[in-house]
Amino acid sequence: MGLRGHLNFFIDNSYLGDTLWAVTKSRYLDFGAENRENKIFCLCTGSCGSGYITELFKSNNVPGCYHEKHPSLDHVGVDYAIRSKNRSYIKGLLYLTRHDVQFEANNRFFALAPLLNEVFPNSKFIHLHRSAKDTLTSSMNKKSFEDFWNSKRLRYCSFLSGSPELTTFEKACWYWTNINQRIIDDLRDLPSMELSFDDLVVGNLAELEEFTSIDFDTKKIQPVNTKQKQKLETPKYKSYDEWPDEFKQRFDDICGSLQAKLGYS
C-alpha cells in the first residue's frame, strides 16, 4: 500500500488517529525538524484570491507553493470545526500531507490553524479576505448559486451556513460571516496578518513582505481562476447597489458588523 493508500485508510478510519499520530511522530517528526518550521498558511473563505496569491508566491520563486494541495482535507477541516474531535488523527494527517509545503492557500484550513501551528512550529498565517458585498455579488452571478448553497456537502449544510430553512442568500451571508469569524478567533494568539483581496490584486504588498520576510519583485500578475464558465451570461447584479432592499437588510443583520470590523464599508 503506497502513501496515498495509507492516507485513505486513516481518513476512512479516523478513530485510528492516535495510532496515526504516534507513527507520524516516531517516523517523521523526530527526524524531520528542519521541515517543520517557518511555513506560511493562507486561510480564507474561498472566492477571494487564494489561487492568485499562490501564483504570486510562485512568481517570486518561493519553493513548495500549493493551492488546495491534494488531499485538500475538506471534510476533515469542516468536521473539526463542528466537533473539535480527532486532534491526534488530524495532526498526523497534516504532517504526512503538508511536510513538504512552504506556502499553501486553502480555505479547508479555516478551522485548523491551531493544529497546524502545533505540528509546524513558528508557522505564519495570512487571513485573506474580501468584502462580503463583492463576494456575494460574485456568487449570485454564478450559474450554480442555488444548487451550491443547497447541496449536501458538509460545509454548506452545517451550522457554517446557518439553518436549513434560511434562504440561499442568507446561507451565503452566514457562511462568509462564520468562516471569517472563526479565522479571526483562531489567529488571535498566533503570528498572523490580515490581507484584503483589494490590496492583493493591486500589488499593495508592503505589509505582506515585512510579515513573510520575502521580497516580492513581482507584485502583480494576470488574473487567476476567474471561473468564467461558471458565470451567468448576463449578470444578475452588477454590484451591491442593485440588490433588492430585503437582501441589503438581511446583509446588514448578518454580515454588517464583521464587514465593518474588516475595514469594508
PDB file of all heavy atoms in Angstrom, residues 78-79 81-82 110 149 151-164 166 171 174-175 178-179:
ATOM      1  N   VAL A  78     -13.861  20.796   8.044  1.00  0.00           N
ATOM      2  CA  VAL A  78     -15.217  21.153   8.461  1.00  0.00           C
ATOM      3  C   VAL A  78     -15.639  20.326   9.672  1.00  0.00           C
ATOM      4  O   VAL A  78     -16.251  20.839  10.612  1.00  0.00           O
ATOM      5  CB  VAL A  78     -16.210  20.956   7.293  1.00  0.00           C
ATOM      6  CG1 VAL A  78     -17.630  21.272   7.758  1.00  0.00           C
ATOM      7  CG2 VAL A  78     -15.836  21.847   6.131  1.00  0.00           C
ATOM      8  N   ASP A  79     -15.312  19.038   9.652  1.00  0.00           N
ATOM      9  CA  ASP A  79     -15.674  18.169  10.769  1.00  0.00           C
ATOM     10  C   ASP A  79     -15.027  18.652  12.064  1.00  0.00           C
ATOM     11  O   ASP A  79     -15.658  18.648  13.124  1.00  0.00           O
ATOM     12  CB  ASP A  79     -15.242  16.729  10.475  1.00  0.00           C
ATOM     13  CG  ASP A  79     -15.743  15.748  11.530  1.00  0.00           C
ATOM     14  OD1 ASP A  79     -16.967  15.620  11.678  1.00  0.00           O
ATOM     15  OD2 ASP A  79     -14.915  15.127  12.217  1.00  0.00           O
ATOM     16  N   ALA A  81     -14.188  21.753  12.722  1.00  0.00           N
ATOM     17  CA  ALA A  81     -14.872  22.992  13.103  1.00  0.00           C
ATOM     18  C   ALA A  81     -16.165  22.697  13.836  1.00  0.00           C
ATOM     19  O   ALA A  81     -16.552  23.415  14.759  1.00  0.00           O
ATOM     20  CB  ALA A  81     -15.153  23.832  11.863  1.00  0.00           C
ATOM     21  N   ILE A  82     -16.829  21.623  13.450  1.00  0.00           N
ATOM     22  CA  ILE A  82     -18.120  21.281  14.042  1.00  0.00           C
ATOM     23  C   ILE A  82     -17.949  20.605  15.399  1.00  0.00           C
ATOM     24  O   ILE A  82     -18.645  20.927  16.366  1.00  0.00           O
ATOM     25  CB  ILE A  82     -18.913  20.365  13.097  1.00  0.00           C
ATOM     26  CG1 ILE A  82     -19.267  21.121  11.811  1.00  0.00           C
ATOM     27  CG2 ILE A  82     -20.181  19.847  13.768  1.00  0.00           C
ATOM     28  CD1 ILE A  82     -19.850  20.242  10.730  1.00  0.00           C
ATOM     29  N   PHE A 110      -9.616  26.666   7.351  1.00  0.00           N
ATOM     30  CA  PHE A 110     -10.160  27.800   8.095  1.00  0.00           C
ATOM     31  C   PHE A 110     -10.248  27.556   9.597  1.00  0.00           C
ATOM     32  O   PHE A 110     -10.178  28.486  10.389  1.00  0.00           O
ATOM     33  CB  PHE A 110     -11.539  28.194   7.541  1.00  0.00           C
ATOM     34  CG  PHE A 110     -12.653  27.263   7.944  1.00  0.00           C
ATOM     35  CD1 PHE A 110     -13.433  27.539   9.050  1.00  0.00           C
ATOM     36  CD2 PHE A 110     -12.923  26.111   7.223  1.00  0.00           C
ATOM     37  CE1 PHE A 110     -14.466  26.687   9.434  1.00  0.00           C
ATOM     38  CE2 PHE A 110     -13.946  25.252   7.587  1.00  0.00           C
ATOM     39  CZ  PHE A 110     -14.718  25.531   8.695  1.00  0.00           C
ATOM     40  N   TRP A 149     -25.513  26.327  -2.656  1.00  0.00           N
ATOM     41  CA  TRP A 149     -25.823  26.571  -1.250  1.00  0.00           C
ATOM     42  C   TRP A 149     -26.894  25.642  -0.691  1.00  0.00           C
ATOM     43  O   TRP A 149     -27.182  25.689   0.495  1.00  0.00           O
ATOM     44  CB  TRP A 149     -26.225  28.031  -1.046  1.00  0.00           C
ATOM     45  CG  TRP A 149     -25.050  28.923  -1.228  1.00  0.00           C
ATOM     46  CD1 TRP A 149     -24.767  29.712  -2.296  1.00  0.00           C
ATOM     47  CD2 TRP A 149     -23.946  29.079  -0.331  1.00  0.00           C
ATOM     48  NE1 TRP A 149     -23.560  30.342  -2.121  1.00  0.00           N
ATOM     49  CE2 TRP A 149     -23.050  29.977  -0.920  1.00  0.00           C
ATOM     50  CE3 TRP A 149     -23.642  28.541   0.929  1.00  0.00           C
ATOM     51  CZ2 TRP A 149     -21.852  30.352  -0.308  1.00  0.00           C
ATOM     52  CZ3 TRP A 149     -22.454  28.911   1.538  1.00  0.00           C
ATOM     53  CH2 TRP A 149     -21.581  29.808   0.927  1.00  0.00           C
ATOM     54  N   SER A 151     -26.630  22.238  -1.434  1.00  0.00           N
ATOM     55  CA  SER A 151     -26.054  20.913  -1.646  1.00  0.00           C
ATOM     56  C   SER A 151     -25.927  20.185  -0.309  1.00  0.00           C
ATOM     57  O   SER A 151     -26.111  20.770   0.766  1.00  0.00           O
ATOM     58  CB  SER A 151     -24.682  21.033  -2.307  1.00  0.00           C
ATOM     59  OG  SER A 151     -23.715  21.502  -1.380  1.00  0.00           O
ATOM     60  N   LYS A 152     -25.578  18.900  -0.377  1.00  0.00           N
ATOM     61  CA  LYS A 152     -25.383  18.090   0.823  1.00  0.00           C
ATOM     62  C   LYS A 152     -23.927  18.097   1.285  1.00  0.00           C
ATOM     63  O   LYS A 152     -23.584  17.387   2.235  1.00  0.00           O
ATOM     64  CB  LYS A 152     -25.832  16.649   0.557  1.00  0.00           C
ATOM     65  CG  LYS A 152     -27.309  16.526   0.199  1.00  0.00           C
ATOM     66  CD  LYS A 152     -28.205  17.072   1.304  1.00  0.00           C
ATOM     67  CE  LYS A 152     -29.676  16.906   0.954  1.00  0.00           C
ATOM     68  NZ  LYS A 152     -30.548  17.504   1.997  1.00  0.00           N
ATOM     69  N   ARG A 153     -23.076  18.862   0.626  1.00  0.00           N
ATOM     70  CA  ARG A 153     -21.685  18.961   1.038  1.00  0.00           C
ATOM     71  C   ARG A 153     -21.631  19.554   2.446  1.00  0.00           C
ATOM     72  O   ARG A 153     -22.296  20.550   2.741  1.00  0.00           O
ATOM     73  CB  ARG A 153     -20.916  19.842   0.061  1.00  0.00           C
ATOM     74  CG  ARG A 153     -19.407  19.830   0.238  1.00  0.00           C
ATOM     75  CD  ARG A 153     -18.775  20.628  -0.878  1.00  0.00           C
ATOM     76  NE  ARG A 153     -17.371  20.904  -0.600  1.00  0.00           N
ATOM     77  CZ  ARG A 153     -16.630  21.745  -1.308  1.00  0.00           C
ATOM     78  NH1 ARG A 153     -17.161  22.380  -2.347  1.00  0.00           N
ATOM     79  NH2 ARG A 153     -15.364  21.962  -0.996  1.00  0.00           N
ATOM     80  N   LEU A 154     -20.832  18.952   3.309  1.00  0.00           N
ATOM     81  CA  LEU A 154     -20.887  19.255   4.733  1.00  0.00           C
ATOM     82  C   LEU A 154     -20.718  20.733   5.035  1.00  0.00           C
ATOM     83  O   LEU A 154     -21.443  21.285   5.876  1.00  0.00           O
ATOM     84  CB  LEU A 154     -19.812  18.454   5.482  1.00  0.00           C
ATOM     85  CG  LEU A 154     -19.804  18.577   7.009  1.00  0.00           C
ATOM     86  CD1 LEU A 154     -21.148  18.151   7.587  1.00  0.00           C
ATOM     87  CD2 LEU A 154     -18.670  17.739   7.605  1.00  0.00           C
ATOM     88  N   ARG A 155     -19.807  21.401   4.361  1.00  0.00           N
ATOM     89  CA  ARG A 155     -19.576  22.810   4.702  1.00  0.00           C
ATOM     90  C   ARG A 155     -20.770  23.691   4.359  1.00  0.00           C
ATOM     91  O   ARG A 155     -20.926  24.779   4.909  1.00  0.00           O
ATOM     92  CB  ARG A 155     -18.299  23.329   4.037  1.00  0.00           C
ATOM     93  CG  ARG A 155     -18.329  23.428   2.537  1.00  0.00           C
ATOM     94  CD  ARG A 155     -17.103  24.155   1.977  1.00  0.00           C
ATOM     95  NE  ARG A 155     -15.857  23.619   2.468  1.00  0.00           N
ATOM     96  CZ  ARG A 155     -14.939  24.359   3.131  1.00  0.00           C
ATOM     97  NH1 ARG A 155     -15.156  25.628   3.357  1.00  0.00           N
ATOM     98  NH2 ARG A 155     -13.831  23.828   3.539  1.00  0.00           N
ATOM     99  N   TYR A 156     -21.633  23.230   3.440  1.00  0.00           N
ATOM    100  CA  TYR A 156     -22.767  24.049   3.029  1.00  0.00           C
ATOM    101  C   TYR A 156     -24.081  23.634   3.681  1.00  0.00           C
ATOM    102  O   TYR A 156     -25.088  24.323   3.519  1.00  0.00           O
ATOM    103  CB  TYR A 156     -22.916  24.023   1.502  1.00  0.00           C
ATOM    104  CG  TYR A 156     -21.676  24.496   0.798  1.00  0.00           C
ATOM    105  CD1 TYR A 156     -21.076  23.730  -0.193  1.00  0.00           C
ATOM    106  CD2 TYR A 156     -21.065  25.700   1.149  1.00  0.00           C
ATOM    107  CE1 TYR A 156     -19.917  24.149  -0.827  1.00  0.00           C
ATOM    108  CE2 TYR A 156     -19.914  26.128   0.538  1.00  0.00           C
ATOM    109  CZ  TYR A 156     -19.339  25.345  -0.452  1.00  0.00           C
ATOM    110  OH  TYR A 156     -18.187  25.759  -1.074  1.00  0.00           O
ATOM    111  N   CYS A 157     -24.086  22.522   4.395  1.00  0.00           N
ATOM    112  CA  CYS A 157     -25.331  22.108   5.056  1.00  0.00           C
ATOM    113  C   CYS A 157     -25.139  22.020   6.575  1.00  0.00           C
ATOM    114  O   CYS A 157     -25.986  21.468   7.274  1.00  0.00           O
ATOM    115  CB  CYS A 157     -25.824  20.779   4.501  1.00  0.00           C
ATOM    116  SG  CYS A 157     -24.761  19.366   4.800  1.00  0.00           S
ATOM    117  N   SER A 158     -24.052  22.574   7.092  1.00  0.00           N
ATOM    118  CA  SER A 158     -23.790  22.582   8.531  1.00  0.00           C
ATOM    119  C   SER A 158     -24.114  23.955   9.108  1.00  0.00           C
ATOM    120  O   SER A 158     -24.615  24.843   8.400  1.00  0.00           O
ATOM    121  CB  SER A 158     -22.327  22.235   8.796  1.00  0.00           C
ATOM    122  OG  SER A 158     -21.494  23.286   8.330  1.00  0.00           O
ATOM    123  N   PHE A 159     -23.775  24.151  10.370  1.00  0.00           N
ATOM    124  CA  PHE A 159     -24.039  25.436  11.024  1.00  0.00           C
ATOM    125  C   PHE A 159     -23.306  26.585  10.336  1.00  0.00           C
ATOM    126  O   PHE A 159     -23.668  27.755  10.502  1.00  0.00           O
ATOM    127  CB  PHE A 159     -23.596  25.381  12.493  1.00  0.00           C
ATOM    128  CG  PHE A 159     -22.126  25.534  12.693  1.00  0.00           C
ATOM    129  CD1 PHE A 159     -21.569  26.778  12.965  1.00  0.00           C
ATOM    130  CD2 PHE A 159     -21.272  24.435  12.587  1.00  0.00           C
ATOM    131  CE1 PHE A 159     -20.201  26.928  13.143  1.00  0.00           C
ATOM    132  CE2 PHE A 159     -19.910  24.569  12.761  1.00  0.00           C
ATOM    133  CZ  PHE A 159     -19.363  25.823  13.043  1.00  0.00           C
ATOM    134  N   LEU A 160     -22.266  26.266   9.562  1.00  0.00           N
ATOM    135  CA  LEU A 160     -21.488  27.313   8.906  1.00  0.00           C
ATOM    136  C   LEU A 160     -22.348  28.182   8.001  1.00  0.00           C
ATOM    137  O   LEU A 160     -22.072  29.369   7.826  1.00  0.00           O
ATOM    138  CB  LEU A 160     -20.341  26.704   8.101  1.00  0.00           C
ATOM    139  CG  LEU A 160     -19.260  25.996   8.912  1.00  0.00           C
ATOM    140  CD1 LEU A 160     -18.300  25.257   8.003  1.00  0.00           C
ATOM    141  CD2 LEU A 160     -18.509  26.983   9.793  1.00  0.00           C
ATOM    142  N   SER A 161     -23.385  27.597   7.413  1.00  0.00           N
ATOM    143  CA  SER A 161     -24.278  28.381   6.553  1.00  0.00           C
ATOM    144  C   SER A 161     -25.639  28.611   7.197  1.00  0.00           C
ATOM    145  O   SER A 161     -26.629  28.881   6.517  1.00  0.00           O
ATOM    146  CB  SER A 161     -24.455  27.684   5.196  1.00  0.00           C
ATOM    147  OG  SER A 161     -24.937  26.374   5.349  1.00  0.00           O
ATOM    148  N   GLY A 162     -25.686  28.529   8.513  1.00  0.00           N
ATOM    149  CA  GLY A 162     -26.920  28.819   9.216  1.00  0.00           C
ATOM    150  C   GLY A 162     -27.883  27.652   9.235  1.00  0.00           C
ATOM    151  O   GLY A 162     -27.487  26.498   9.101  1.00  0.00           O
ATOM    152  N   SER A 163     -29.147  27.946   9.355  1.00  0.00           N
ATOM    153  CA  SER A 163     -30.176  26.921   9.479  1.00  0.00           C
ATOM    154  C   SER A 163     -30.714  26.504   8.111  1.00  0.00           C
ATOM    155  O   SER A 163     -30.734  27.301   7.175  1.00  0.00           O
ATOM    156  CB  SER A 163     -31.341  27.446  10.328  1.00  0.00           C
ATOM    157  OG  SER A 163     -30.884  27.881  11.596  1.00  0.00           O
ATOM    158  N   PRO A 164     -31.183  25.254   7.997  1.00  0.00           N
ATOM    159  CA  PRO A 164     -31.681  24.745   6.704  1.00  0.00           C
ATOM    160  C   PRO A 164     -32.838  25.553   6.130  1.00  0.00           C
ATOM    161  O   PRO A 164     -32.994  25.619   4.903  1.00  0.00           O
ATOM    162  CB  PRO A 164     -32.128  23.318   7.040  1.00  0.00           C
ATOM    163  CG  PRO A 164     -31.359  22.941   8.256  1.00  0.00           C
ATOM    164  CD  PRO A 164     -31.184  24.203   9.044  1.00  0.00           C
ATOM    165  N   LEU A 166     -33.284  28.690   6.042  1.00  0.00           N
ATOM    166  CA  LEU A 166     -32.920  30.015   5.551  1.00  0.00           C
ATOM    167  C   LEU A 166     -32.936  30.060   4.029  1.00  0.00           C
ATOM    168  O   LEU A 166     -32.835  29.040   3.350  1.00  0.00           O
ATOM    169  CB  LEU A 166     -31.531  30.400   6.054  1.00  0.00           C
ATOM    170  CG  LEU A 166     -31.370  30.581   7.567  1.00  0.00           C
ATOM    171  CD1 LEU A 166     -29.920  30.879   7.915  1.00  0.00           C
ATOM    172  CD2 LEU A 166     -32.281  31.688   8.086  1.00  0.00           C
ATOM    173  N   LYS A 171     -27.975  31.962   3.682  1.00  0.00           N
ATOM    174  CA  LYS A 171     -26.947  30.945   3.915  1.00  0.00           C
ATOM    175  C   LYS A 171     -25.579  31.443   3.471  1.00  0.00           C
ATOM    176  O   LYS A 171     -24.570  31.248   4.164  1.00  0.00           O
ATOM    177  CB  LYS A 171     -27.300  29.653   3.174  1.00  0.00           C
ATOM    178  CG  LYS A 171     -28.487  28.910   3.746  1.00  0.00           C
ATOM    179  CD  LYS A 171     -28.799  27.666   2.913  1.00  0.00           C
ATOM    180  CE  LYS A 171     -29.995  26.914   3.463  1.00  0.00           C
ATOM    181  NZ  LYS A 171     -30.312  25.714   2.639  1.00  0.00           N
ATOM    182  N   TRP A 174     -24.301  33.917   6.075  1.00  0.00           N
ATOM    183  CA  TRP A 174     -23.816  33.282   7.293  1.00  0.00           C
ATOM    184  C   TRP A 174     -22.495  32.562   7.065  1.00  0.00           C
ATOM    185  O   TRP A 174     -21.626  32.560   7.936  1.00  0.00           O
ATOM    186  CB  TRP A 174     -24.860  32.314   7.849  1.00  0.00           C
ATOM    187  CG  TRP A 174     -25.891  32.965   8.704  1.00  0.00           C
ATOM    188  CD1 TRP A 174     -27.236  33.064   8.472  1.00  0.00           C
ATOM    189  CD2 TRP A 174     -25.659  33.666   9.936  1.00  0.00           C
ATOM    190  NE1 TRP A 174     -27.854  33.766   9.470  1.00  0.00           N
ATOM    191  CE2 TRP A 174     -26.906  34.146  10.387  1.00  0.00           C
ATOM    192  CE3 TRP A 174     -24.516  33.932  10.692  1.00  0.00           C
ATOM    193  CZ2 TRP A 174     -27.043  34.870  11.575  1.00  0.00           C
ATOM    194  CZ3 TRP A 174     -24.644  34.655  11.868  1.00  0.00           C
ATOM    195  CH2 TRP A 174     -25.903  35.113  12.294  1.00  0.00           C
ATOM    196  N   TYR A 175     -22.343  31.950   5.911  1.00  0.00           N
ATOM    197  CA  TYR A 175     -21.099  31.247   5.598  1.00  0.00           C
ATOM    198  C   TYR A 175     -19.928  32.227   5.620  1.00  0.00           C
ATOM    199  O   TYR A 175     -18.891  31.970   6.243  1.00  0.00           O
ATOM    200  CB  TYR A 175     -21.216  30.571   4.232  1.00  0.00           C
ATOM    201  CG  TYR A 175     -20.000  29.783   3.834  1.00  0.00           C
ATOM    202  CD1 TYR A 175     -19.827  28.469   4.255  1.00  0.00           C
ATOM    203  CD2 TYR A 175     -19.023  30.341   3.020  1.00  0.00           C
ATOM    204  CE1 TYR A 175     -18.713  27.740   3.887  1.00  0.00           C
ATOM    205  CE2 TYR A 175     -17.905  29.623   2.637  1.00  0.00           C
ATOM    206  CZ  TYR A 175     -17.756  28.332   3.078  1.00  0.00           C
ATOM    207  OH  TYR A 175     -16.635  27.623   2.707  1.00  0.00           O
ATOM    208  N   ASN A 178     -19.391  33.331   9.371  1.00  0.00           N
ATOM    209  CA  ASN A 178     -18.898  32.289  10.284  1.00  0.00           C
ATOM    210  C   ASN A 178     -17.467  31.858   9.968  1.00  0.00           C
ATOM    211  O   ASN A 178     -16.658  31.641  10.881  1.00  0.00           O
ATOM    212  CB  ASN A 178     -19.825  31.071  10.245  1.00  0.00           C
ATOM    213  CG  ASN A 178     -21.120  31.313  10.997  1.00  0.00           C
ATOM    214  OD1 ASN A 178     -21.156  32.047  11.984  1.00  0.00           O
ATOM    215  ND2 ASN A 178     -22.201  30.692  10.541  1.00  0.00           N
ATOM    216  N   ILE A 179     -17.139  31.726   8.681  1.00  0.00           N
ATOM    217  CA  ILE A 179     -15.778  31.322   8.313  1.00  0.00           C
ATOM    218  C   ILE A 179     -14.776  32.397   8.709  1.00  0.00           C
ATOM    219  O   ILE A 179     -13.742  32.126   9.337  1.00  0.00           O
ATOM    220  CB  ILE A 179     -15.683  31.045   6.802  1.00  0.00           C
ATOM    221  CG1 ILE A 179     -16.545  29.840   6.427  1.00  0.00           C
ATOM    222  CG2 ILE A 179     -14.229  30.813   6.402  1.00  0.00           C
ATOM    223  CD1 ILE A 179     -16.001  28.504   6.829  1.00  0.00           C
TER     224      ILE A 179
END
